[in-house]
Amino acid sequence: MQDKPMPTYTTHSASSASGLPRLCFMSYRQIREFAMPVVAEYADRAQIEVVDGSFEQALAIAQDRIERGEVDAFVSAGSNASILRAGLQSPVATIQLSGFDLFQALIRASRIAPRVGVVMYGHTIPELDAVKELLNIEISQHAYRTPDDARQRFDALRREGFEVIVGSSLVVELAQQAGLHGLLAYSLDSIRKGFDDALELARVARLEASRYEQLHSVLHNLQEAVVAVDQHERIITANPAMQQVLAGPGIRLEGQMLSELAPEFSLRTTLETGQIDRAIAIRFAQRDWVAHRTPMIEQGRIVGAALTLYDARTIQAADTSLRIMQRRQQHAARHTFDSLIGSSAALEQAKSSARRFAPTDLNVLITGESGTGKEVFAQAMHNASHRAGRPFVAVNCASFPETLLESELFGYEEGAFTGSRRGGKRGLLEAAHTGTLFLDEIGDMPLPLQTRLLRVLQEREIMRLGATAPIPIDIRVIAATHQPLAKLIAEQRFRQDLYYRLNTLRLALPPLRERREDIPAIITPQVAHCLARIGSRLPAERVLEGIMDRITAYDWPGNVRELENIAERIAVFLLSFSHVQDIRYDELRHDCPELFEEGEAIDANVHDMPLAERIREAMESSQGKPGVAAKKLGVSRSTLWRWLQASSTDR
């Protein structure tokens, strides 16, 4: 096929200044004509340039658009998509040929002739052998890699007497030129899916590019030493840190040749080659430095270069800190069922259910108020399962912006968008492979991502952004929420099918106010830890006796998380006292007013007959043991003692 000028078609409903994504549809005549209704549909969502081209010519056109900065993402099919993905760093969305598309094309072909040839780019499809028996037609399929290869495959089918050819745009054109019936294998739905993928890739590419530019700008203006030169290596600017390294304060650097001032810092090679050099070790002025050499490029032309110096000692200290931080952030579960403190009936029931759920691989939905320990239960179930020791990846669906959550969850391929990490990045779903994925605050997940998550749960495979092949994963999913999902479903803010997929096993966690008898066992070690950390030797159990009645009477709307904060405040309050007998508990109302908002007359209520009766019954059923009676009443022994003293005084 002879080369000919490639026509260009651009939708004119949006300009580049409109802020809409800029897509380039790299097509061929047949698929371009077929796809134009879809292009029109997307005219108000993107600025779309439609360009006819194939193989090396398509790659050259795409590179030209990138150099001009005229495109955010490409969308193409078949050979063009493969070539663009292999030759470009920019994101490329592939119009996928589904089995349903091909089946429909074969049905149309069977109405024309009983013998059908199939010629597709890349590889043949073994499953077609079963289809030909179903449709009662003869199918001969071939694959090609180059235009000449496609022509040879087509010529072979024509010589064999095939009158109908199903295939790519290139193959359809060959069939039409030969007077045969050529049927395009793609459907409009597949093309729409390709454009949807391209829009998402363009959105993420813009976001990542913006983040990269902001980060680069911030780093350039930090305490690191930075110098910039023009194309002749004359210094045009240097920040104060570099001024100190090169010459000291008060000496003008602008206009001087950098290589003459400090040969070790020469940027001549960078200006000549445009190569970026990172993490280069340099010895200068009896100090070790790590240098980055970067060219400055405007409109494809090298106009200067920059050198950034990092003090090697700072990097060594940062490396140590990073190693410590990364170790702490490794995907591991720390908590077990022993971490769950308390012996109340409500907690024991939740623990019993969780222990039964742990050995299974079924999805679990944990419900409960904020601070009730949903992640602790999730980690405990993970560590009690056969997946213990494998990754435990916790994702808070409410902590990521919607624009970032998808790439964080699913990851992306190398070259999926501008500024993407070399080699791509695996998402958190992949990081949880063979382990447990904990989706906290699942009720806050955006609806579009709920759809993708549902597919992951059904198929147990994920598709990275920019990828063409799914990646199988083996994960156990535990989700958690404090929101009423049934209400969200009624408001169409949460998918009902996702709810039923997650709600295979349900674990409801009780709030702290429904297990008040556990509060002393929880807060006592908390206060003891806080006292030890701030250097106090007061015994936690004894100092809490004077206020335990107020602590257990409080409703704890923030549950254990709020209790931990109150424990910190109590410990700081106790710093003012050296001995237990010196503590003036009434002053605590200034630091912990919530404990004093209710039950101001707790001691006075001892005169009420119902309470006196309850005290008597508790003492009798406990055989006169104050400790047992106090536990039944949900108060401390000191409170029970005061109540008993008040009762005896009245008598």
Side-chain angles (χ1 to χ4, degrees):
M1 307 180 85
Q2 297 192 0
D3 291 340
K4 50 187 176 183
M6 293 295 110
T8 300
Y9 309 84
T10 305
T11 60
H12 298 289
S13 60
S15 66
S16 59
S18 68
L20 293 176
R22 300 168 300 170
L23 306 183
C24 180
F25 178 27
M26 193 64 64
S27 60
Y28 206 71
R29 184 172 66 86
Q30 280 71 23
I31 195 170
R32 181 247 304 161
E33 293 174 351
F34 181 68
M36 288 310 288
V38 177
V39 174
E41 290 177 20
Y42 284 74
D44 60 345
R45 299 172 58 186
Q47 180 187 5
I48 304 172
E49 181 186 21
V50 183
V51 182
D52 281 359
S54 62
F55 291 89
E56 289 78 9
Q57 192 174 29
L59 182 61
I61 295 171
Q63 290 171 335
D64 175 69
R65 297 302 188 270
I66 294 171
E67 290 176 1
R68 295 182 186 182
E70 297 177 348
V71 63
D72 295 315
F74 293 91
V75 57
S76 192
S79 59
N80 277 354
S82 297
I83 290 171
L84 294 180
R85 288 180 57 78
L88 301 178
Q89 293 296 317
S90 296
V92 179
T94 301
I95 298 174
Q96 301 284 356
L97 175 64
S98 70
F100 185 68
D101 292 343
L102 191 54
F103 184 69
Q104 286 186 315
L106 290 173
I107 291 176
R108 297 197 305 271
S110 68
R111 296 168 182 163
I112 301 173
R115 304 176 72 225
V116 180
V118 178
V119 183
M120 299 301 300
Y121 177 79
H123 55 80
T124 59
I125 305 173
E127 291 80 5
L128 288 186
D129 292 336
V131 174
K132 65 183 181 182
E133 296 179 1
L134 181 64
L135 297 177
N136 196 24
I137 60 174
E138 177 186 346
I139 297 176
S140 178
Q141 59 170 325
H142 301 271
Y144 68 91
R145 287 288 181 182
T146 66
D148 289 340
D149 196 14
R151 179 180 288 277
Q152 291 175 11
R153 306 297 181 186
F154 169 78
D155 288 341
L157 289 172
R158 184 178 58 177
R159 287 193 299 270
E160 294 175 12
F162 284 86
E163 298 178 358
V164 182
I165 309 296
V166 174
S168 65
S169 190
L170 173 63
V171 172
V172 171
E173 183 177 46
L174 288 171
Q176 292 175 349
Q177 290 174 351
L180 303 181
H181 294 280
L183 299 179
L184 194 64
Y186 296 93
S187 69
L188 290 178
D189 285 340
S190 294
I191 292 172
R192 289 189 184 94
K193 178 63 168 58
F195 273 85
D196 286 338
D197 291 343
L199 285 173
E200 178 62 17
L201 288 173
R203 181 188 64 79
V204 175
R206 283 187 167 192
L207 181 63
E208 291 288 340
S210 175
R211 291 176 61 199
Y212 178 81
E213 290 171 1
Q214 292 173 0
L215 181 60
H216 178 77
S217 176
V218 170
L219 291 179
H220 185 78
N221 291 282
L222 290 178
Q223 70 271 18
E224 286 76 27
V226 181
V227 61
V229 301
D230 62 14
Q231 56 189 338
H232 304 295
E233 211 201 9
R234 287 190 295 265
I235 296 175
I236 55 177
T237 185
N239 70 348
M242 182 61 80
Q243 178 82 32
Q244 185 67 35
V245 171
L246 289 176
I251 300 178
R252 182 177 176 82
L253 296 177
E254 288 78 1
Q256 295 194 52
M257 300 293 293
L258 179 61
S259 57
E260 294 178 2
L261 194 63
E264 298 89 340
F265 298 161
S266 176
L267 289 170
R268 286 179 178 173
T269 301
T270 306
L271 292 169
E272 292 171 358
T273 65
Q275 179 178 340
I276 298 175
D277 293 322
R278 299 190 181 277
I280 306 299
I282 296 176
R283 180 76 175 176
F284 180 77
Q286 299 182 340
R287 290 176 63 183
D288 294 324
W289 305 90
V290 176
H292 288 180
R293 294 186 175 98
T294 309
M296 296 187 295
I297 300 176
E298 293 181 2
Q299 299 180 346
R301 187 171 60 91
I302 299 175
V303 296
L307 173 74
T308 305
L309 295 181
Y310 301 84
D311 191 333
R313 294 171 299 182
T314 303
I315 290 180
Q316 290 168 354
D319 178 68
T320 301
S321 298
L322 283 171
R323 289 176 185 272
I324 294 172
M325 182 182 68
Q326 289 169 355
R327 183 174 182 85
R328 289 174 179 168
Q329 292 181 344
Q330 285 178 347
H331 300 305
R334 298 180 292 108
H335 295 292
T336 66
F337 284 111
D338 292 336
S339 304
L340 299 166
I341 300 174
S343 57
S344 64
L347 182 65
E348 288 299 327
Q349 182 177 356
K351 288 163 67 174
S352 176
S353 297
R355 285 193 174 97
R356 284 188 287 106
F357 298 167
T360 76
D361 267 340
L362 298 175
N363 299 333
V364 181
L365 178 62
I366 304 177
T367 60
E369 297 176 4
S370 178
T372 51
K374 294 186 285 292
E375 184 169 353
V376 176
F377 268 87
Q379 291 190 18
M381 284 189 285
H382 171 82
N383 281 327
S385 73
H386 67 91
R387 296 177 183 269
R390 303 293 180 88
F392 178 89
V393 179
V395 182
N396 190 313
C397 300
S399 65
F400 286 101
E402 180 178 349
T403 52
L404 290 181
L405 184 56
E406 183 170 22
S407 60
E408 292 293 336
L409 279 176
F410 293 90
Y412 52 80
E413 290 289 334
E414 179 176 351
F417 45 80
T418 303
S420 59
R421 182 184 299 177
R422 179 174 297 177
K425 176 186 175 182
R426 72 173 185 167
L428 295 174
L429 287 167
E430 281 186 70
H433 179 58
T434 73
T436 300
L437 176 69
F438 176 59
L439 296 173
D440 200 9
E441 305 299 347
I442 188 68
D444 293 310
M445 177 173 282
L447 275 171
L449 292 190
Q450 291 180 29
T451 303
R452 291 199 65 181
L453 176 62
L454 177 63
R455 178 170 179 80
V456 171
L457 297 180
Q458 291 172 337
E459 306 298 334
R460 297 292 165 169
E461 60 184 24
I462 63 106
M463 182 84 77
R464 289 183 179 182
L465 289 176
T468 58
I471 301 172
I473 56 173
D474 171 24
I475 58 174
R476 196 262 183 96
V477 177
I478 301 177
T481 184
H482 70 281
Q483 299 199 58
L485 293 186
K487 181 180 178 182
L488 296 184
I489 292 171
E491 296 172 352
Q492 296 186 344
R493 294 164 54 195
F494 197 84
R495 290 185 63 104
Q496 188 176 46
D497 46 2
L498 177 59
Y499 171 76
Y500 289 127
R501 181 67 64 171
L502 292 172
N503 196 30
T504 308
L505 299 175
R506 188 182 184 94
L507 180 63
L509 302 187
L512 202 53
R513 63 181 174 275
E514 293 181 7
R515 54 187 188 102
R516 296 180 189 275
E517 57 267 45
D518 292 338
I519 293 175
I522 299 173
I523 197 170
T524 301
Q526 288 283 346
V527 172
H529 175 73
C530 297
L531 288 171
R533 192 175 66 246
I534 61 180
S536 173
R537 296 184 179 181
L538 290 173
E541 187 171 2
R542 287 188 60 197
V543 300
L544 287 174
E545 287 181 356
I547 52 170
M548 189 60 76
D549 53 338
R550 295 190 179 277
I551 293 173
T552 54
Y554 181 53
D555 278 343
W556 299 103
N559 295 293
V560 176
R561 192 173 293 120
E562 183 185 11
L563 183 142
E564 292 170 351
N565 292 337
I566 293 293
E568 295 277 1
R569 284 192 246 164
I570 291 174
V572 173
F573 164 77
L574 293 172
L575 274 177
S576 303
F577 306 98
S578 301
H579 302 92
V580 175
Q581 58 268 26
D582 298 333
I583 299 174
R584 297 181 295 277
Y585 290 102
D586 190 59
E587 296 178 5
L588 184 61
R589 70 175 61 248
H590 300 292
D591 293 329
C592 303
E594 47 272 85
L595 299 182
F596 293 82
E597 289 174 356
E598 299 179 3
E600 288 286 346
I602 288 177
D603 290 334
N605 289 340
V606 74
H607 303 293
D608 296 343
M609 192 61 188
L611 180 58
E613 184 67 22
R614 285 192 288 120
I615 294 172
R616 184 185 63 76
E617 291 179 356
M619 290 296 291
E620 288 179 356
S621 63
S622 303
Q623 297 179 346
K625 297 178 180 178
V628 178
K631 187 174 182 180
K632 289 185 176 183
L633 291 168
V635 298
S636 66
R637 292 183 61 175
S638 60
T639 298
L640 177 59
W641 181 82
R642 290 201 306 274
W643 288 354
L644 291 171
Q645 288 294 107
S647 298
S648 62
T649 301
D650 288 345
R651 289 196 299 269

